[in-house]
Amino acid sequence: MFTRLLIGLDGSPNADEALEQAVMLGKRFKARLVVVNVREAHGLGRRASDTGELLRRAEERVTDAGLAAQTVQQYGDPSDVLATLARDVDLVFVGKRGRSSPADVLGKTVSALIRIAERSVIVCASKPSPMQACAIAYDGRETAQRALRLVARFASVTKSTVHIIHATIDPAIGTMVVGEAEAMLSLQGVAFVTHLEHGTPGEAVERVVQRTGCDALFAGAHVGQRALVTASHAEEILLHTNIPVVIEP
């Protein structure tokens, strides 16, 4: 299902956690890991030796796990570089925040990448997760439908139950929205549980994750046409949970 995984590494704790998550998933699918460090133009004169050591340690970590590793050093805007390299992989792993990001906001690379990437992006902010109890933040939109197809494939491989989360002020309308998700998972033979929750999508996700112990979340990235590059509720959702979040373009 996943044969090539791309990891953006910048020396931050969250990026290290993204690498560990990629190793864990890579071992499950026997994938090849491509570890990338992108140095921005304004930082070219700093920590060149540190960057080499960072990639060396990452390559050692991956090979010690019995996986094939490739390291790449690039220069430019991290989100642009990662989005370009992502065209040749199945998944991109990044940390939720960079080294200098405040604790209450997303890192600028994540915010930009989920708008422009053409592949799924897994955003990591905590210790690696087995990704066995999967949830999806489902609003019926096009990217949420793609996220649903992806979580269905993933759950079919891992034999996991999918928790469908929908934030709504009207349970009757909410039931109609999630009905197509329930039908699709039923046809795929995937077990599911539906959660209709009040509040914002981020609040709904937070409550369900705490209540159920879900350890992976899938969500759509955009509203409307990709040309509008308008993030939907993905950023709010990311701020409300530290489990791995798979953002589907």
Side-chain angles (χ1 to χ4, degrees), residues 11-247:
S12 66
N14 280 177
D16 292 342
E17 288 150 358
L19 176 62
E20 291 301 318
Q21 186 65 61
V23 168
M24 181 174 284
L25 203 61
K27 290 170 71 174
R28 177 180 290 172
F29 293 101
K30 298 179 174 58
R32 179 182 184 87
L33 272 60
V34 182
V35 185
V36 183
N37 175 260
V38 183
R39 297 184 64 204
E40 298 182 77
H42 60 72
L44 293 183
R46 297 180 295 157
R47 296 184 289 273
S49 61
D50 291 349
T51 296
E53 179 64 15
L54 184 74
L55 290 175
R56 187 195 66 76
R57 290 199 308 268
E59 182 176 23
E60 187 176 81
R61 172 69 184 96
V62 175
T63 55
D64 284 349
L67 299 172
Q70 176 185 352
T71 59
V72 178
Q73 176 69 72
Q74 291 273 12
Y75 300 90
D77 178 84
S79 58
D80 289 339
V81 172
L82 290 172
T84 298
L85 294 174
R87 295 169 184 163
D88 296 321
V89 302
D90 301 305
L91 291 172
V92 185
F93 292 75
V94 290
K96 186 174 177 178
R97 298 182 179 90
R99 289 173 301 177
S100 59
S101 302
D104 58 345
V105 299
L106 293 180
K108 65 177 183 178
T109 297
V110 171
S111 294
L113 187 60
I114 62 176
R115 287 172 163 81
I116 63 176
E118 298 175 12
R119 295 290 186 270
S120 303
V121 178
I122 299 188
V123 182
C124 304
S126 189
K127 64 182 181 180
S129 155
M131 298 182 72
Q132 279 294 136
C134 299
I136 178 170
Y138 189 77
D139 61 9
R141 297 179 187 270
E142 185 178 350
T143 56
Q145 293 173 10
R146 288 198 287 271
L148 178 67
R149 290 192 290 270
L150 180 62
V151 75
R153 290 174 56 209
F154 191 86
S156 295
V157 172
T158 60
K159 309 302 181 185
S160 56
T161 296
V162 174
H163 293 263
I164 306 169
I165 306 171
H166 179 69
T168 182
I169 59 174
D170 187 330
I173 294 177
T175 299
M176 293 175 59
V177 172
V178 301
E180 60 184 351
E182 294 171 336
M184 189 269 199
L185 293 176
S186 293
L187 288 172
Q188 296 291 325
V190 175
F192 63 87
V193 179
T194 300
H195 307 267
L196 298 179
E197 300 283 327
H198 289 284
T200 68
E203 293 167 345
V205 162
E206 185 176 28
R207 284 196 300 271
V208 173
V209 167
Q210 290 180 350
R211 194 164 66 231
T212 63
C214 287
D215 63 1
L217 177 70
F218 291 68
H222 302 281
V223 171
Q225 299 298 313
R226 283 189 58 84
L228 299 177
V229 292
T230 303
S232 62
H233 303 302
E235 292 185 41
E236 185 215 344
I237 287 170
L238 286 169
L239 289 172
H240 278 79
T241 184
N242 284 329
I243 65 174
V245 181
V246 184
I247 304 295

